[in-house]
Amino acid sequence: MRFVDEFRDADKAKALLAEIGTVAAKAADRMGRPANIMEVCGGHTHSIFRYGIGDLLPKSIELVHGPGCPVCVLPMGRVDDCVAIAEQPGVIFATFGDAMRVPGSKKSLLQAKAEGSDIRMVYSPLDALALARANPDREVVFFGLGFETTMPSTAMTVLQAAADGTKNFSLICNHITIIPTMKAILDDPGLQLDGFLGPGHVTMVIGLEPYEFIGATYNKPVVIAGFEPLDVLQSVWMVMQQLSQGRAVIENQYGRIVPKGGNPVARDAITRVFELRDFFEWRGLGSIEHSGVKMRAAYAQFDAERRFSVPDVKVADPEACQCGDVLKGIIKPRQCRVFGTACTPETPLGALMVSSEGACAAYYQYGPRAGDEPEKANAA
Amino acid sequence: MSLSGDKSAPTTRRKRDAIHLQRVTLAHGGGGKAMRDLVDDVFVSVFDNPDLAPLEDQARFALSALATHGDRLAFTSDSFVVDPLEFPGGDIGKLAICGTVNDLAVGGAKPLYLSCSVIIEEGTELALLRRVAASMARTAAEAGVKVVTGDTKVVTRGACDKLFINTAGIGVIRTGLDLGCHRAEPGDLVIVNGLLGDHGAAILGARGDLALSSPIESDCAPLNGLIDGLIAACPETKFLRDATRGGVATVVNEIAEASQVGIELIDDATPIREEVRGFCEILGLDPLYLANEGRIVAVVPAAAGERALAALKSHRYGQGAVVIGQVTRGPPGRVTMQTRFGGKRVVDMLIGEQLPRIC
Amino acid sequence: MCLGIPGQIVAITDASRGLATVDVAGVKREISVAFVRNADEAVEQLIGAWVLVHVGFAMSRIDEDEAAETLKILSELGEVAQETEAMRASGRA
Ligand code: SF4
């Protein structure tokens, strides 16, 4: 596949790993301890596990898996609201596949479906709009979630519904924003992060400028990274170079996809339809200022929260759950007291176990287990 | 089944009689003449064979004839509920024959006799039933098996999804052959007979709700001939299983578990069609977990590897045969994959169904 | 987060709504190109372009020069690594 296979080349990866080894040694000299790099985005977590990248890196680089899986950070109360809407008679509830398994306080969408709610899996919000057109006597509600990458698509779908005069389509908006969240992480006192792999696909929409404060104010390097294994390795190398030279700026490894200025047309669609919420609740991270968006009053008729009565009850995360500490990189998934016991992908307690992008699910599925032979010593 | 409880009595049906007859009605399941007509017309006519013709309540076989093929009976049953009923590369009828034939064949049995029970939703088109029955007959002929008994039920609208088929099968295991999930030992090779994931991708694509179009066809095929050839050339074959639901990843996990060994797969060696890769990239699925209907996983001793591959490749359903991994001493029950950078990851059993991801 | 896949636009299916067919390794799907079309060019100009597809929308046009540049850097790294390796080997000899 073009623009995919080229970036999975094993020889180039070996060369990169050798370079990373050299730079990491320099950085370690400078810092006197291993470097903690957070990949903000669940897509990176996925690539890192899928290609076994973590084990290939020198010991002096520690990858910390960040909060960037919009499915994982959905709080239970929001899932409950979705279930409540889906259970109303006459509703077709359309959702991306991976959101179906997220546990609510009583059930997931998958369970609601089994109990008879009409819940359909779609690939695109446009498919949900098509469902509305094909079923004029039903109410079609789309479960909008995701970061700025996905936001323009749902915004455009709402704009299309408005232009077509579609009356039976609405959106339950759970979109979240990345920058306030990174800021919340940076402000956490318990945190020890030295740099970031930035979310490539979010940045193709928002552009590089919003990240500048991270270098300027917090003195941490950020490299916007692609998702193929070579992209991830090259980005790690770029972060390590900054660390070894004592620099902290925003750099772009993913230039083929991410233009400096992002995508202004997409941003325009976002601002037409959505506005910032004062606060949005994240599973594991709590309430973060300006970290979510809601629909503007002008599009009230497409806003499922206004059209349907939803419980809108905050549900606290289960007590045993340590997702927050994992999300902030304070503990590794395996260190959570319920990892692999009360919390497994089959019966997820915390959200990080739900989607295969979630750090805990990735550890569970791809990582070594207790009883395994000790991990191989690193090449570098 | 209660006929008087027919809730969907067609008060609003405006179709004329001529069209009416093109669809199955509850009368066809009533046990009377209408049912006999349906069974005769649609099924008996295509499965035509001397064991079926008497239409007794059971098929009867001479034990002595069975015993000429081996010393043990194999008996299996499987139900087929695929949506859509017809898809690129096959249909529910072909699937129903192949599934049961393959389940017998991977046990080292020669598949001989199949049953065919159908549950039909009222309103299903007769033309569809005829196509499915013809497809079953064609596949049975290719596999060299006979459909010797069966059953037909018609249920009210909504009680089933158009057509469900159950097939059971009897085969005879050749004397001396002992294939088993527990027999894998470190050093053994893990072989598949061709490209992986075609069936799963073809079905997902044919369902239409993801609006993806692709030239991917199901790999659905009866594999008894292929397996005959493999066992003849490589009698030391230890284990065979068809990699249906849950895909190859699930089968190798089952082997690792049952034999208490590790298995290491090689990323670059797993044969996956470009279109299936594209399909999986779009939806965020892992092709190793996609269903196959014409693929087996074979475990053979390393020394017999070349012979096994050659035997598989000489058959039309095995031309893409390759070694995808090796049994190791690794932690018992653990399947890992060697990624192309020398990285390693665990390939676990699937939890639930694979759902398309956005993220 | 945010699964995105490169694909090539092969046809325009509805110019007024900005819908096009994208091809990903032989698999085709209708997507919206509303976010990647320039206001001053005909939508047909997009045929042949490579885009990044996310949930049924083209979100970015792939910059082929940038892609080549990234690969070039990686190849050069490879050469440097090989030379270093060779130097080490000859130093040892
Ligand atoms: S193991 Fe479960 S509860 Fe613990 S951090 Fe992971 S997802 Fe949360």
Side-chain angles (χ1 to χ4, degrees):
Chain A
M1 291 167 67
R2 267 195 86 188
F3 302 109
V4 174
D5 291 337
E6 305 93 300
F7 296 92
R8 294 181 183 172
D9 181 275
D11 289 336
K12 290 197 177 73
K14 281 196 199 100
L16 255 175
L17 281 164
E19 280 300 309
I20 289 172
T22 315
V23 184
K26 272 190 223 154
D29 279 351
R30 199 163 187 286
M31 295 164 53
R33 60 172 176 81
N36 293 319
I37 302 177
M38 172 178 275
E39 86 273 5
V40 178
C41 175
H44 289 137
T45 311
H46 191 83
S47 296
I48 287 165
F49 279 97
R50 198 184 145 84
Y51 295 97
I53 289 172
D55 293 347
L56 298 174
L57 292 174
K59 284 259 186 292
S60 56
I61 300 176
E62 191 71 48
L63 292 177
V64 179
H65 313 302
C69 165
V71 174
C72 303
V73 296
L74 218 57
M76 282 206 201
R78 300 296 295 183
V79 178
D80 290 348
D81 291 350
C82 290
V83 169
I85 292 176
E87 285 180 337
Q88 302 199 15
V91 166
I92 297 176
F93 193 85
T95 173
F96 296 129
D98 41 2
M100 306 237 313
R101 256 198 277 267
V102 189
S105 65
K106 287 183 206 72
K107 55 187 130 175
S108 65
L109 286 166
L110 208 56
Q111 285 161 316
K113 180 171 191 276
E115 288 170 16
S117 298
D118 190 349
I119 298 176
R120 318 258 182 113
M121 208 167 61
V122 291
Y123 164 71
S124 165
L126 287 175
D127 297 350
L129 185 57
L131 271 177
R133 259 185 251 123
N135 297 277
D137 52 335
R138 306 279 301 274
E139 278 289 331
V140 174
V141 181
F142 178 68
F143 188 2
L145 83 172
F147 284 97
E148 285 90 336
T149 321
T150 320
M151 245 184 244
S153 308
T154 43
M156 188 56 92
T157 306
V158 168
L159 291 172
Q160 185 73 58
D164 295 349
T166 309
K167 297 252 178 312
N168 62 328
F169 176 80
S170 59
L171 177 75
I172 175 159
C173 176
N174 289 283
H175 284 300
I176 45 183
T177 57
I178 195 74
I179 297 292
T181 313
M182 287 181 76
K183 192 165 177 315
I185 291 174
L186 281 161
D187 283 336
D188 193 287
L191 201 78
Q192 225 197 27
L193 285 180
D194 301 299
F196 292 92
L197 301 187
H201 291 155
V202 168
T203 314
M204 82 185 157
V205 174
I206 68 174
L208 300 180
E209 195 267 342
Y211 299 91
E212 275 167 10
F213 76 98
I214 298 179
T217 316
Y218 294 89
N219 199 29
K220 313 267 185 218
V222 182
V223 174
I224 302 303
F227 295 86
E228 297 306 329
L230 284 185
D231 291 324
V232 174
L233 287 176
Q234 192 186 11
S235 302
V236 169
W237 175 65
M238 289 166 76
V239 170
M240 292 312 293
Q241 271 204 316
Q242 289 202 36
L243 288 176
S244 72
Q245 297 158 0
R247 290 186 299 130
V249 292
I250 166 92
E251 289 179 324
N252 185 10
Q253 179 275 335
Y254 202 27
R256 67 184 186 275
I257 302 288
V258 177
K260 195 165 182 291
N263 187 330
V265 189
R267 282 201 302 276
D268 180 59
I270 295 179
T271 31
R272 278 167 71 190
V273 175
F274 299 121
E275 60 190 351
L276 282 179
R277 293 180 195 257
D278 293 337
F279 286 94
F280 195 75
E281 184 77 19
W282 290 56
R283 196 186 291 233
L285 288 179
S287 188
I288 300 177
E289 199 178 350
H290 291 155
S291 66
V293 298
K294 61 182 182 202
M295 296 180 76
R296 289 185 187 276
Y299 294 96
Q301 56 164 319
F302 299 102
D303 186 351
E305 279 175 86
R306 289 176 166 109
R307 279 171 74 145
F308 297 86
S309 65
V310 293
D312 193 19
V313 179
K314 272 206 188 113
V315 182
D317 295 332
E319 255 184 43
C321 157
Q322 291 181 277
C323 295
D325 290 348
V326 174
L327 280 176
K328 289 183 218 146
I330 295 170
I331 60 168
K332 288 263 169 193
R334 214 175 301 282
Q335 291 167 310
C336 171
R337 50 183 107 84
V338 290
F339 179 92
T341 53
C343 185
T344 65
E346 238 156 315
T347 52
L349 199 58
L352 295 176
M353 210 39 119
V354 172
S355 152
S356 60
E357 306 291 282
C360 291
Y363 261 74
Y364 191 89
Q365 206 158 21
Y366 292 138
R369 308 274 165 74
D372 280 6
E373 52 201 319
E375 275 159 57
K376 276 183 287 186
N378 273 296
Chain B
M1 185 187 66
S2 154
L3 289 181
S4 55
D6 175 17
K7 286 192 294 286
S8 61
T11 47
T12 55
R13 194 178 288 169
R14 283 159 305 166
K15 296 198 171 101
R16 284 164 296 141
D17 270 358
I19 296 174
H20 220 124
L21 289 174
Q22 292 176 11
R23 294 180 181 270
V24 176
T25 68
L26 283 175
H28 290 116
K33 182 173 179 316
M35 183 176 123
R36 274 298 300 272
D37 288 350
L38 177 79
V39 172
D40 278 351
D41 177 6
V42 176
F43 296 105
V44 177
S45 63
V46 297
F47 292 146
D48 189 33
N49 66 62
D51 293 302
L52 177 66
L55 279 183
E56 297 286 354
D57 276 349
Q58 70 293 122
R60 301 170 189 182
F61 323 103
L63 288 178
S64 55
L66 294 176
T68 59
H69 298 291
D71 62 350
R72 284 152 297 162
L73 275 186
F75 177 42
T76 186
S77 166
D78 206 344
S79 297
F80 299 84
V81 292
V82 66
D83 168 38
L85 294 172
E86 296 174 291
F87 46 83
D91 56 66
I92 187 171
K94 184 176 182 188
L95 213 53
I97 299 291
C98 294
T100 293
V101 163
N102 294 346
D103 279 351
L104 290 170
V106 293
K110 179 177 173 59
L112 294 171
Y113 303 110
L114 263 55
S115 71
C116 163
S117 298
V118 295
I119 298 175
I120 308 167
E121 185 185 25
E122 88 178 297
T124 301
E125 285 171 65
L126 267 171
L128 171 76
L129 275 190
R130 287 209 176 85
R131 287 198 301 276
V132 169
S135 166
M136 291 184 88
R138 251 195 325 272
T139 313
E142 183 192 340
V145 295
K146 288 179 188 159
V147 177
V148 291
T149 186
D151 179 53
T152 306
K153 292 282 187 297
V154 180
V155 297
T156 52
R157 200 174 278 266
C160 91
D161 189 3
K162 293 203 226 31
L163 177 62
F164 294 166
I165 301 181
N166 173 281
T167 52
I170 288 180
V172 179
I173 303 172
R174 52 214 94 179
T175 311
L177 192 63
D178 174 31
L179 298 173
C181 205
H182 55 279
R183 291 191 50 213
E185 289 166 290
D188 290 350
L189 299 177
V190 180
I191 295 177
V192 296
N193 62 319
L195 293 162
L196 303 177
D198 288 4
H199 178 75
I203 294 291
L204 268 177
R207 231 167 251 170
D209 45 3
L210 299 167
L212 296 170
S213 71
S214 80
I216 305 168
E217 293 196 352
S218 166
D219 53 14
C220 180
L223 299 177
N224 50 331
L226 174 90
I227 291 170
D228 276 347
L230 172 65
I231 289 173
C234 181
E236 58 272 64
T237 300
K238 293 183 168 177
F239 175 68
L240 296 168
R241 180 160 291 172
D242 46 345
T244 54
R245 256 179 314 175
V248 163
T250 304
V251 174
V252 288
N253 266 286
E254 287 164 353
I255 300 170
E257 181 81 50
S259 294
Q260 286 296 298
V261 291
I263 292 181
E264 180 152 289
L265 303 176
I266 308 146
D267 198 357
D268 279 339
T270 51
I272 292 155
R273 192 185 298 281
E274 182 76 357
E275 289 87 353
V276 171
R277 284 185 53 205
F279 198 90
C280 287
E281 295 279 352
I282 294 174
L283 299 177
L285 305 176
D286 187 338
L288 280 183
Y289 295 96
L290 287 181
N292 309 277
E293 289 293 343
R295 297 292 175 256
I296 46 163
V297 175
V299 177
V300 304
E306 287 304 319
R307 231 179 322 126
L309 278 178
L312 289 170
K313 282 185 180 157
S314 69
H315 193 275
R316 66 184 278 225
Y317 295 133
Q319 276 158 17
V322 284
V323 174
I324 59 162
Q326 192 157 28
V327 179
T328 68
R329 282 181 206 290
R334 172 64 46 84
V335 178
T336 53
M337 177 168 272
Q338 185 78 48
T339 74
R340 66 187 65 176
F341 313 125
K344 212 179 192 187
R345 66 170 164 108
V346 172
V347 178
D348 208 350
M349 211 76 141
L350 198 62
I351 296 124
E353 197 186 348
Q354 256 198 126
L355 297 175
R357 323 183 262 124
I358 56 151
C359 63
Chain C
M1 99 199 88
C2 322
L3 199 65
I5 302 300
Q8 189 173 31
I9 294 180
V10 292
I12 303 298
T13 51
D14 184 339
S16 63
R17 282 172 168 259
L19 298 177
T21 305
V22 72
D23 179 308
V24 177
V27 181
K28 294 193 174 65
R29 151 95 208 189
E30 186 177 71
I31 60 162
S32 165
V33 291
F35 296 132
V36 294
R37 65 191 283 194
N38 293 332
D40 52 359
E41 74 179 9
V43 64
E44 282 75 18
Q45 295 282 314
L46 282 170
I47 293 177
W50 284 83
V51 294
L52 189 101
V53 185
H54 173 67
V55 301
F57 286 78
M59 296 305 299
S60 176
R61 276 209 228 186
I62 296 181
D63 186 329
E64 306 200 18
D65 297 337
E66 277 282 349
E69 182 62 29
T70 304
L71 288 169
K72 196 169 140 237
I73 295 175
L74 293 176
S75 304
E76 284 166 6
L77 270 182
E79 283 158 25
V80 172
Q82 267 172 14
E83 275 165 32
T84 331
E85 192 55 34
M87 268 156 63
R88 257 193 224 133
S90 63
R92 246 185 263 127

